[in-house]
């Protein structure tokens, strides 16, 4: 149980365009999902916390107008990178809180975004 | 700002050797988790430790949570090539709301040579 999927797994887009990444909890309902980004050979950095039915909470230094997060249902959160630039190229990973234990999150397989 | 420092950053060893990875912070965490991540994939949870001084074993892996819940260690016995990957510790803390946020350590990249 506790499977989280992401789509797409890889995406290449041109500078100035927008890209949407989906995060789904497949076998449980997730009231909270988290979005992280990871640069090569570095650790994960929390970008934002996504709560179903309410506005996302962004970490310091993350532009909320650039990284739009929508958590419209208990099994789906989306991250839209708007007006993407090459420096937005990264590995984006989501995680979902299952509600079983306060400290456990289940991670998706990640999305590799390349902006040309 | 909470920080989790891992050491060493990189480790290349021969199959059969033992190793220890450390995760240190000046902050207290309600729990600490260890993950292993392979290239191009999401992190996979190995263990969660909650109680200060707690020791958990997972086959050849031994995890310990410090008494003060500020640090942790991961010890691997008789490492195998399949243990190769990026090891991440993550401390859980209250970030507002009912769910704990995770702050990830700096990571330890392990390569086990056959």
């Amino acid at each position: 149980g506790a499977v989280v999927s992401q789509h797409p797994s890889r995406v290449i887009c041109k500078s100035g365009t927008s890209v949407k990444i989906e995060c789904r909890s497949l076998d449980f309902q997730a009231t909270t999902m988290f979005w992280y980004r990871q640069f090569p050979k570095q650790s994960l950095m929390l970008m934002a916390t996504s709560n179903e039915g309410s506005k996302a909470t962004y970490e310091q230094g993350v532009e909320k107008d650039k990284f739009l997060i929508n958590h419209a249902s208990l099994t789906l959160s989306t991250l839209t990178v708007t007006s993407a630039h090459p420096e937005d190229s990264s590995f984006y990973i989501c995680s979902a809180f299952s509600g079983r234990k306060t400290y456990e999150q289940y991670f998706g397989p990640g999305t590799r975004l390349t902006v040309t | 700002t909470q920080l989790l420092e891992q050491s060493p950053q990189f480790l290349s060893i021969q199959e059969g050797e033992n190793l220890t990875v450390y995760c240190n912070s000046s902050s207290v965490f309600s729990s600490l988790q260890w993950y292993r991540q392979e290239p191009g994939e999401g992190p996979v949870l190995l263990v969660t430790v909650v109680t200060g001084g707690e020791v958990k074993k997972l086959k050849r892996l031994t995890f310990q949570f410090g008494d003060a819940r500020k640090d942790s260690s991961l010890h691997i016995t008789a490492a195998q090539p399949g243990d190769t990957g990026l090891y991440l510790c993550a401390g859980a803390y209250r970030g507002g709301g009912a769910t704990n946020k995770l702050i990830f350590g700096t990571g330890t990249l392990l390569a086990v040579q056959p």
Side-chain angles (χ1 to χ4, degrees):
Chain A
V3 178
V4 176
S5 71
Q6 280 185 242
H7 178 80
S9 57
R10 291 176 178 269
V11 58
I12 300 172
C13 70
K14 292 187 177 180
S15 189
T17 62
S18 296
V19 175
K20 181 185 284 188
I21 302 170
E22 293 185 349
C23 176
R24 292 182 185 273
S25 56
L26 298 184
D27 53 358
F28 64 98
Q29 292 184 331
T31 54
T32 304
M33 290 183 172
F34 301 88
W35 287 95
Y36 299 83
R37 67 186 297 182
Q38 183 179 32
F39 292 106
K41 295 185 179 179
Q42 292 188 23
S43 189
L44 279 72
M45 296 295 294
L46 179 63
M47 297 175 66
T49 303
S50 170
N51 294 298
E52 188 266 338
S54 64
K55 289 184 179 180
T57 305
Y58 292 81
E59 296 299 303
Q60 193 172 8
V62 178
E63 299 176 59
K64 61 180 181 181
D65 293 331
K66 182 167 187 61
F67 298 100
L68 300 179
I69 292 172
N70 186 295
H71 195 154
S73 77
L74 287 171
T75 59
L76 173 65
S77 176
T78 60
L79 168 68
T80 301
V81 183
T82 63
S83 187
H85 291 286
E87 56 265 31
D88 297 325
S89 299
S90 189
F91 194 50
Y92 292 87
I93 306 173
C94 72
S95 71
F97 169 59
S98 70
R100 297 171 198 169
K101 293 177 181 176
T102 58
Y103 45 77
E104 285 192 354
Q105 299 177 22
Y106 296 92
F107 285 82
T111 296
R112 172 73 60 194
L113 170 63
T114 303
V115 184
T116 61
Chain B
T1 304
Q2 295 169 308
L3 289 173
L4 269 172
E5 296 284 341
Q6 283 183 238
S7 61
Q9 280 188 293
F10 303 99
L11 191 55
S12 180
I13 60 172
Q14 294 296 123
E15 183 176 1
E17 292 184 21
N18 302 333
L19 66 117
T20 302
V21 177
Y22 299 93
C23 174
N24 294 296
S25 175
S26 57
S27 301
V28 176
F29 295 101
S30 57
S31 65
L32 195 137
Q33 299 172 38
W34 283 93
Y35 294 84
R36 187 166 76 94
Q37 185 183 25
E38 300 199 25
E41 299 181 11
V44 175
L45 179 65
L46 297 174
V47 78
T48 300
V49 284
V50 179
T51 307
E54 183 176 4
V55 176
K56 280 192 175 179
K57 290 192 175 184
L58 185 66
K59 296 184 181 178
R60 294 176 293 101
L61 279 60
T62 301
F63 306 86
Q64 185 163 8
F65 201 11
D67 291 341
R69 289 188 287 127
K70 294 182 180 180
D71 54 83
S72 181
S73 64
L74 157 61
H75 183 77
I76 301 179
T77 303
Q80 299 175 2
D83 295 328
T84 293
L86 178 66
Y87 287 81
L88 296 162
C89 63
Y93 68 99
R94 284 283 185 188
T99 309
N100 285 340
K101 290 186 178 182
L102 290 178
I103 178 167
F104 277 83
T106 46
T108 296
L109 190 58
L110 171 65
V112 183
Q113 311 297 334

